[in-house]
């Protein structure tokens, strides 16, 4: 639909929009019906099987942008269960056999569900499973016993690599299709803001290249957004990590009401945001 609109093909855009709306309706209905049929509290990986496959379900959230379409309680239950299963592999006494690093794509979903600590912890866990160690790559299958003579698939596996790139970039910025906004800093670790802080230069987004810096200054955090980005229709949501609820927010030196959720909405760039704790 977006491509048709960009090319001025209004008829195609409208026809495909109707198809997309119908598909969303049928998808949501299928998820709910399969849950009833199989007695599930999570989203089925496949409607007919009633299995559990969070790595596949995650594409509904990113890049599918359907977080507001699928049932929220089932979505959260799905990734809460996945989180427990994936983290169990970090236990030195666990007996897991293998997994596929396609699971890297779940990092962005955990972030969008409001679980940044889990997203970062899982990403670090995946980074520790690169094979061979120090080669900055993943095979298609990672085995608990690294010396076992079994199938590892393509290595390096570029599909896995693309999941890593998307998930890592999401920590710094991602597009929210539901409201047409750009979300900044949702996955930043508060420790990254110390010293020289975080610097992003010309990160590709739907609305052009994004550049910003974020660093802690005693009792405040300063975020500077550079030029070059077209303001998204839903604005830019700056999510400053760490600290208690802000006491004061300054946008380009002008005091703004301090948001209880810590999210500062911007409508223009360049801009400077100072959050005081």
């Amino acid at each position: 639909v977006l491509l048709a609109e960009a090319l001025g093909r209004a008829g195609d855009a409208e026809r495909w929009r109707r198809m997309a709306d119908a598909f969303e309706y049928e998808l949501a209905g299928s998820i709910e019906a399969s849950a009833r049929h199989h007695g599930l509290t999570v989203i089925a990986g496949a409607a007919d099987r009633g299995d559990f496959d969070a790595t596949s379900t995650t594409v509904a959230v990113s890049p599918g942008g359907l977080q507001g379409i699928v049932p929220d309680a089932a979505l959260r239950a799905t990734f809460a269960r996945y989180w427990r299963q994936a983290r169990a592999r970090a236990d030195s006494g666990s007996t897991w056999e293998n997994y596929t690093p396609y699971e890297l794509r779940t990092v962005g979903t955990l972030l969008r569900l409001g679980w940044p600590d889990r997203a970062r912890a899982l990403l670090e866990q995946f980074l520790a499973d690169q094979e061979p160690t120090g080669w900055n790559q993943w095979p298609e299958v990672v085995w608990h016993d690294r010396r076992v003579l079994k199938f590892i698939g393509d290595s390096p596996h570029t599909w896995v690599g693309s999941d890593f790139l998307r998930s890592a970039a999401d920590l710094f910025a991602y597009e929210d299709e539901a409201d047409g906004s750009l979300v900044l800093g949702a996955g930043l670790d508060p420790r990254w803001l110390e010293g020289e802080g975080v610097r992003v230069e010309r990160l590709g987004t739907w609305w052009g290249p994004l550049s910003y810096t974020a660093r802690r200054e005693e009792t405040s955090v300063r975020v500077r957004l550079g030029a070059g980005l077209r303001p998204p229709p839903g604005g830019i949501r700056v999510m400053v990590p760490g600290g208690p609820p802000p006491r004061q927010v300054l946008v380009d030196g002008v005091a703004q009401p301090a948001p209880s959720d810590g999210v500062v909405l911007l409508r223009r760039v360049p801009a400077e945001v100072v959050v005081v704790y």
Side-chain angles (χ1 to χ4, degrees):
V1 172
L2 291 172
L3 290 173
E5 290 176 341
L7 293 172
R9 292 165 57 175
D12 286 334
E14 181 57 31
R15 180 166 57 91
W16 291 335
R17 183 179 290 106
R18 290 196 301 269
M19 293 171 62
D21 291 345
F23 183 74
E24 286 184 356
Y25 175 81
E26 298 292 350
L27 176 63
S30 175
I31 290 172
E32 293 176 352
S34 61
R36 288 194 303 270
H37 179 74
H38 298 290
L40 301 176
T41 58
V42 297
I43 296 175
D48 56 334
R49 298 179 62 190
D51 59 344
F52 182 77
D53 188 0
T55 309
S56 294
T57 303
T58 190
V59 300
V61 179
S62 175
L66 299 175
Q67 188 171 345
I69 303 300
V70 298
D72 185 67
L75 182 67
R76 292 182 175 276
T78 300
F79 287 95
R81 173 176 166 180
Y82 166 75
W83 160 255
R84 293 191 298 270
Q85 292 179 349
R87 286 300 282 172
R89 294 197 298 262
D91 185 347
S92 60
S94 63
T95 57
W96 62 276
E97 184 179 20
N98 63 29
Y99 78 95
T100 172
Y102 293 138
E103 293 182 21
L104 268 158
R105 71 184 71 139
T106 62
V107 170
T109 296
L110 294 176
L111 188 63
R112 286 165 173 79
L113 289 174
W115 299 334
D117 292 343
R118 293 182 179 185
R120 290 193 302 270
L122 203 57
L123 182 57
E124 291 177 3
Q125 186 174 323
F126 288 131
L127 288 169
D129 282 343
Q130 289 180 322
E131 183 71 21
T133 303
W135 280 39
N136 299 322
Q137 68 177 39
W138 289 270
E140 188 173 4
V141 181
V142 170
W143 293 84
H144 190 210
D145 180 358
R146 299 299 177 90
R147 303 297 294 172
V148 69
L149 298 179
K150 291 189 177 181
F151 175 81
I152 65 169
D154 298 331
S155 185
H157 200 285
T158 51
W159 185 354
V160 172
S162 69
D163 285 331
F164 164 72
L165 290 173
R166 289 195 303 113
S167 291
D170 283 350
L171 300 179
F172 299 91
Y174 67 84
E175 299 91 351
D176 188 333
E177 190 170 352
D179 64 2
S181 67
L182 182 64
V183 182
L184 265 62
L188 298 184
D189 189 322
R191 295 173 297 179
W192 299 350
L193 303 181
E194 305 297 337
E196 295 184 0
V198 170
R199 178 182 297 274
V200 173
E201 294 186 0
R202 297 186 63 78
L203 177 65
T205 77
W206 294 354
W207 299 284
L210 168 68
S211 299
Y212 75 88
T213 60
R215 64 185 298 265
R216 187 175 303 282
E217 298 176 350
E218 296 182 353
T219 60
S220 66
V221 172
R222 186 181 303 271
V223 180
R224 289 193 175 102
L225 280 77
L229 183 75
R230 301 187 307 278
I236 303 169
R237 288 191 280 149
V238 180
M239 303 179 69
V240 180
R247 292 191 296 108
Q248 185 181 36
V249 172
L250 303 174
V251 177
D252 292 333
V254 179
Q256 306 286 335
S260 58
D261 58 2
V263 179
V264 180
L265 182 64
L266 300 177
R267 295 290 183 180
R268 65 180 185 275
V269 291
E272 179 181 77
V273 177
V274 178
V275 179
V276 181
Y277 296 103

